[in-house]
Amino acid sequence: MGHMTIPAWLALLIYGLAVARVTGLIVADSITEGARDALVVWLDDRPKTLGAFVAGVIECPWCAGMWVALVASPLVWFWGHSPVMLIPAIALAFSQVTGMTANLGR
């Protein structure tokens, strides 16, 4: 297949699904539960501290999704055409779609 050119709408869909998948890994997946729980316990839980803010982000899909998208957006803008970015994003997008459809039956 070699070098692949994809339309902008498809790239945005792929990267959007990839952001959703990374967000799910951060806030909800059982594979990251131990690390997530340990990090939340380790963080300072006093109100209005950076630790409390980060713990809140880790536990909130909307909050974490915004921060993941904030990091991903400039990467996609400047290097989104690169296979180094696109190939992992496609894998993450496939994983997200698989998770979304897993409960639909066969």
Side-chain angles (χ1 to χ4, degrees), residues 47-88:
K48 299 184 181 182
T49 62
L50 179 60
F53 173 77
V54 172
V57 168
I58 291 171
E59 296 174 325
C60 169
W62 288 98
C63 306
M66 189 274 302
W67 287 101
V68 171
L70 188 65
V71 170
S73 295
L75 296 173
V76 170
W77 182 265
F78 291 109
W79 299 289
H81 62 282
S82 168
V84 172
M85 287 282 295
L86 193 55
I87 292 169

Side-chain angles (χ1 to χ4, degrees), residues 21-45:
R21 184 68 194 106
V22 171
T23 301
L25 280 167
I26 293 169
V27 300
D29 284 3
S30 60
I31 194 167
T32 56
E33 185 175 13
R36 180 176 53 251
D37 291 348
L39 182 59
V40 168
V41 167
W42 178 79
L43 289 168
D44 186 356
D45 62 353

